[in-house]
Structure formats: structure tokens, C-alpha cells
Amino acid sequence: MDSIEHPMINQLDLITVQPCANAHNDDRRLPTVCGSSQSAWILGGHLRNSSKNFGYIQIERQSALLQWQLPAGEGDRHRGTLVQRGSERAGMAAAAGPTVRRRQLGAELRRRREEAGLSHDEVADALTSMSQPKLSRIENGRGATKVDDVKKLLSLYKCEDSDLISTLVGMARNGSQRGMWWQSYSAHINSTLGDLITLEATASSVRNYEGAFIPGLLQTPAYAREIIKKLNMRPDVNVEALVDVRMARQSALTRNEPLTLWAVIHEAAIRSGVGGPTVMAEQLSRLLDRAERPNINLQVMPIGAPAHHGMGGAFTILGFPQRQDLDVVMVDGTLSNLWVEEAVDVDVFAAKFDAIRADALGLDDSLAIITDQRDKIT
């Protein structure tokens, strides 16, 4: 049989793939991809639809999105033609909604199913619109979940918590959105930033500790440009696109129901020379201006402070109005950022932030340091 050769397929033994929306899985058996370091082929699933066109099969593997077009016909073995490859998984994650929220939604639906004492097969037998592979994808947060599916599952599980139902339906609805403002920048945004932007849009609060630079929600364009240029090691990065995205994110602080921001910034960031005196003076003035808003609180961690929890690194806690157990934490890393989603772990970071606030200067003293430094370099 002919093989599909592609350099992105390597050292594969068996990979499960997901059919696109225009493919129908008649016997609830997903196709798989098998292959070696140089080739791969599509097996199984008896995929077919009324037009006798098998449509597309998508495979997500690490940073690659591989898409094959299958020919019409039936049977267990089909040769496909590679028709599209995504160079970065970020765009796909963005298109399907925030991965953090998908995982949380899936985990909650799994908990409800287990509490109801139902297996995957029993759910698939009870709901004609739900196959075992589809339910598995939903519970593992792989792809957007339809609102109607969430309602049917919760009804089957006999969930009577109206607040929880409203919250989970809202998560599915938001996770399926398309055409959000940042979609036009998807080629420049990684999956973590895509998650952060989407979560900021629905969050009610942000608590942020930064030890090296000014928080992104408070940066000026000139300051952001300098930071992005230095922190991005990729030669092909579009700095201006990322500056535009960072500035657009700040609208969350001025919307009708604005985000509440409490930021603790290390004094070293206040006294740094990012971009030179003119850029820093403008940035410090921006901080003073933003601190006048009732939804923004700024504190400075002094250079001479004793050992404190901020020494562990920068992190951001996003809080949500529906339920506290939906709060998440983003922990900054050198190569990538980490999402902390388990409620017990989020509580640890919340306690950590409270301790950092207690060790930092008070609000008035913090603004005095910022003002003094701004005046020194003006």
C-alpha cells in the first residue's frame, strides 16, 4: 500500500486522530495513523458520509497539525493525501477556544459522569449524539464542546446545581467563539498567550507579581516593544504585532465591568533602564496614571526586602466571578509558561500572593517610589 511521506511524522507507532466536522464515524471507531520515521498511513474507522466523501482527518502531534483528505469509499484501509500542515499548534488552540477552559470543562464533566456511575459506553448508548470517542475528546479537553452536548450530558448525569450548569454552559459557549479580535494575530500568538487573552476577557480579577519588568497590562507601547524584542529569541518574531496585541489586552481594564488588577512589582523593575530615560519616564507616568483608577492597585517590593515568596518567580492569578474553583494561575517560565488549574494548587498561589502583598510597601509608599524615580530621570 502507498504511504504518506512527511517529515513531521517520525517515530510513530500508533496515533489516534480526530475526524473533522464533515466526516462521520459510523461505528464509533476512530481511525489511527501508523508509520515509521519516514512514512505514515491511515487505518480504520469506516468513515463515510452521505456524499461518499471521507472529508478531512486532522492529527495534532506536538507542534504539528497534519491534515489528510481521504477518498470516497468504505473499508478499513485508505490512502490519504496530505493537504494542509499547521506550523504551530497555537492557531488551532486559539480557533477552538482556550485550552485551559476546555480542560476544566472536560474535567468537570468527567467528575459528574463518575458521580453518576456511568461508563463511556453507557453514555454513548443513552445519547445518540454522543459516541465513546467523542465523549473521551470532550473530557480530555481536545476541541471545542457544543453547548447542546453539555446540556444533554448534565441532564443525563442528573445534575441539579443550576449555578454549575450555567457556568459549564457558559464555558462551552465561550470556548466555541470564533472571530475574536485577536484571531487576526493567531500566527504570532502561542497557545499560552491565546489562553491568557481569552481568559482575561471573562475574568473579574487579576493578581500579578512581577520581579523583572512592568506587567503587560500596564506597559506603554515603547516599553513593550523593548521587552518583546529582548525576551523573544525567535528571529522571525513580529514585534509590532505582539505590541499591538499587548496594547489591545489592556482594554480589559477599561471595559464596562473592568478587570480588577492588583499588581506587585519589584523595585528593580521600577529603577531599570529599559529603552532609556525617555521610555522609562513615560512608563512610570503610565503607572501613576493607571493607579488613580479604582480597579487598579499597585505595590512595590523594595530592593532591601528580606526573603519573600516573590523570589520564586513571576506569576498571575486570574479570578472569575462564577465560581472560585475556576480560578487559574499562569507561572512564567523561560521556554514556556505553565498553567496551574487544580483548585488546591491555585489556593497555594493565592496564599503566596497575600504574603507578597504583606511584604511589599503600602500603596502610598509604592506610588511615592514610582514618582521619585520618574522625577529623577525626567
Side-chain angles (χ1 to χ4, degrees), residues 65-368:
L65 172 82
L66 309 175
Q67 191 177 81
W68 278 266
Q69 187 172 36
L70 299 183
E74 296 184 41
D76 280 333
R77 189 172 284 238
H78 311 287
R79 184 170 70 88
T81 302
L82 182 65
V83 293
Q84 181 179 342
R85 185 190 78 202
S87 60
E88 203 164 315
R89 193 169 178 174
M92 295 309 299
T99 56
V100 173
R101 274 292 177 259
R102 294 204 311 268
R103 288 196 299 267
Q104 287 187 310
L105 174 59
E108 188 61 41
L109 289 173
R110 183 189 302 112
R111 278 193 291 271
R112 296 294 156 176
R113 175 180 59 77
E114 290 172 348
E115 288 177 2
L118 296 173
S119 67
H120 281 185
D121 288 337
E122 288 171 329
V123 173
D125 290 339
L127 299 175
T128 56
S129 62
M130 188 65 57
S131 66
Q132 189 275 340
K134 179 179 178 181
L135 180 58
S136 179
R137 292 195 303 274
I138 289 173
E139 292 185 349
N140 287 301
R142 297 171 59 189
T145 303
K146 295 179 180 179
V147 170
D148 190 52
D149 286 335
V150 172
K151 290 179 178 179
K152 288 179 179 178
L153 288 171
L154 292 175
S155 176
L156 178 65
Y157 303 157
K158 299 186 179 350
C159 178
E160 298 178 351
D161 184 338
S162 59
D163 288 340
L164 177 64
I165 294 172
S166 176
T167 297
L168 297 184
V169 167
M171 289 168 67
R173 184 174 289 114
N174 293 333
S176 300
Q177 287 179 344
R178 297 291 190 272
M180 291 178 282
W181 65 263
W182 53 273
Q183 291 292 321
S184 59
Y185 293 96
S186 61
H188 313 290
I189 295 176
N190 61 33
S191 59
T192 303
L193 180 54
D195 280 349
L196 178 62
I197 294 170
T198 307
L199 293 172
E200 284 175 344
T202 56
S204 58
S205 67
V206 166
R207 288 166 284 175
N208 181 206
Y209 174 75
E210 288 291 352
F213 45 80
I214 307 302
L217 288 173
L218 299 171
Q219 292 177 6
T220 64
Y223 182 94
R225 188 172 294 110
E226 293 296 320
I227 293 296
I228 291 170
K229 283 193 296 187
K230 285 298 181 182
L231 295 187
N232 251 295
M233 303 301 291
R234 288 168 42 204
D236 60 339
V237 66
N238 188 325
V239 174
E240 292 308 312
L242 292 178
V243 171
D244 289 345
V245 169
R246 189 162 296 182
M247 295 305 104
R249 283 174 51 206
Q250 297 178 4
S251 64
L253 297 171
T254 57
R255 64 197 184 200
N256 289 336
E257 295 183 2
L259 193 67
T260 297
L261 172 65
W262 198 301
V264 180
I265 309 167
H266 197 278
E267 186 179 350
I270 302 298
R271 300 197 184 279
S272 70
V274 173
T278 301
V279 170
M280 276 306 301
E282 180 190 30
Q283 177 60 71
L284 296 177
S285 293
R286 170 70 65 88
L287 289 181
L288 295 170
D289 175 71
R290 294 295 185 264
E292 294 180 358
R293 297 180 177 177
N295 59 311
I296 299 176
N297 291 294
L298 299 180
Q299 287 182 262
V300 172
M301 180 66 73
I303 289 177
H308 58 85
H309 286 282
M311 291 177 170
F315 62 92
T316 301
I317 306 172
L318 293 105
F320 297 85
Q322 304 98 329
R323 298 169 65 95
Q324 186 176 348
D325 56 5
L326 293 179
D327 292 358
V328 294
V329 181
M330 187 181 74
V331 181
D332 289 7
T334 301
L335 297 179
S336 62
N337 295 330
L338 168 70
W339 285 108
V340 177
E341 303 168 46
E342 291 295 331
V344 63
D345 297 327
V346 173
D347 288 343
V348 171
F349 278 91
K352 185 175 181 177
F353 187 79
D354 287 342
I356 289 172
R357 285 197 309 176
D359 289 334
L361 296 174
L363 297 174
D364 291 340
D365 289 341
S366 295
L367 295 182

